Amino acid sequence: MAMIGIRAIASYVPPRRVSNLERRDAVGKDEAFIRDKIGFESLSRRDPGMETSDLCVQAYRALESRPGFDPASVDCVIVCTQNPDAHGLPHTSAVVHGKLGLPSGAASFDISLGCSGYVYGLAVATAFMQANGLRSGLLFTADPYSKILDPQDWDTELLFGDAATVTWLAPDPVYRCRPAIFGSDGSMGHSIAVPAPGKPLAMLGSNVFKFSMTVVPEQVQAYLARERLSFDDIDLVLLHQGSRFIVDNLGRKLGLRPDKAPFEAGQLGNTVSSTLPLMLEPRLAAPPGRILLCGFGVGLSWATMAIECVS
């Protein structure tokens, strides 16, 4: 069977913005802290009433005009989210499938993962499609944390933005996916969690930072060793955009120049599972030869994968 890989990526970023710079006095932070530590000068926010599936539909609309894409050929719909429509029943991928009027022969299911979700999603989707002879799959990422934020909790309210992406997986791809490597530490899951039904998101920032600086670089180095690669073989490293402080320090920990492991989410915020595909999307026009993707966060969960340009 033909190799399944990344054929195209499209996205939707809501136009509405919340400015962290404008509310710096209210939150007791100076401009340097917001720019250099948090890194998010503004945050993208969905309109009130806009559901997770609506974000996915908007991303799909941007994909429809891509060369070679045929809605009638879609045979797999996967949505990666931890903030589904309503109460999560039915699954959000079924809601998206219905709103888009996709073929009834298509598989549809959700993946409940956050910051590591795009790497997991690529691994699951490509393997699922290859194993079952599927040829045109859509992997959506949409995790509007604005649904679960306490607007007065500055440890979370200053960080998260809303967005959605869709990755078209098909034969004749731009990028093929190498096998990934994964990690989990459920004993630390309380570090980023909704503690009870109806309660807002709570986060222990020090736990998240320590985790990001220890097990994440260890996994990246282990992955390179397993795949017999070095950073000289990698053209670009895309790290989950948890904050500028995390990305900059993790890049330094790995010995990478800022341009090789960039921070690019300053006007959007941490869009959870969408941070990596949002960074990857504009690069498909002139694709680097080999990119290392690393997602890490809620779970605690972390995952690393190299993708390689086919053309």
Side-chain angles (χ1 to χ4, degrees), residues 144-155:
Y145 268 35
S146 61
K147 289 183 177 184
I148 54 171
L149 294 180
D150 176 352
Q152 300 303 314
D153 180 0
W154 304 121
D155 290 336

Side-chain angles (χ1 to χ4, degrees), residues 124-280:
V124 169
T126 54
F128 178 79
M129 292 177 67
Q130 294 270 179
N132 294 286
L134 307 182
R135 295 180 59 83
S136 184
L138 302 177
L139 170 62
F140 291 92
T141 62
D143 229 332
Y145 268 35
S146 61
K147 289 183 177 184
I148 54 171
L149 294 180
D150 176 352
Q152 300 303 314
D153 180 0
W154 304 121
D155 290 336
T156 56
E157 168 62 24
L158 297 178
L159 299 180
F160 293 100
D162 299 333
T165 74
V166 57
T167 299
W168 178 28
L169 300 167
D172 302 318
V174 177
Y175 277 102
R176 76 175 186 96
C177 302
R178 289 177 74 136
I181 190 171
F182 309 99
S184 302
D185 185 359
S187 70
M188 294 295 288
H190 63 281
S191 301
I192 313 171
V194 173
K199 296 292 185 179
L201 180 74
M203 186 170 71
L204 300 175
S206 61
N207 285 4
V208 176
F209 180 74
K210 290 174 186 175
F211 148 74
S212 302
M213 294 303 114
T214 53
V215 298
V216 174
E218 289 172 3
Q219 184 187 76
V220 169
Q221 297 290 1
Y223 182 80
L224 293 175
R226 191 194 76 181
E227 297 296 302
R228 298 183 180 180
L229 298 169
S230 72
F231 280 123
D232 291 338
D233 302 310
I234 304 294
D235 297 293
L236 184 67
V237 177
L238 298 184
L239 302 169
H240 170 60
Q241 307 282 284
S243 71
R244 175 178 283 280
F245 190 64
I246 286 177
V247 172
D248 288 352
N249 278 278
L250 184 51
R252 282 193 286 269
K253 184 96 173 179
L254 293 169
L256 300 173
R257 304 184 314 271
D259 62 319
K260 192 161 184 173
F263 177 77
E264 298 181 348
Q267 304 305 315
L268 303 179
N270 176 352
T271 55
V272 199
S273 56
S274 293
T275 66
L276 295 179
L278 283 171
M279 299 173 79
L280 186 56

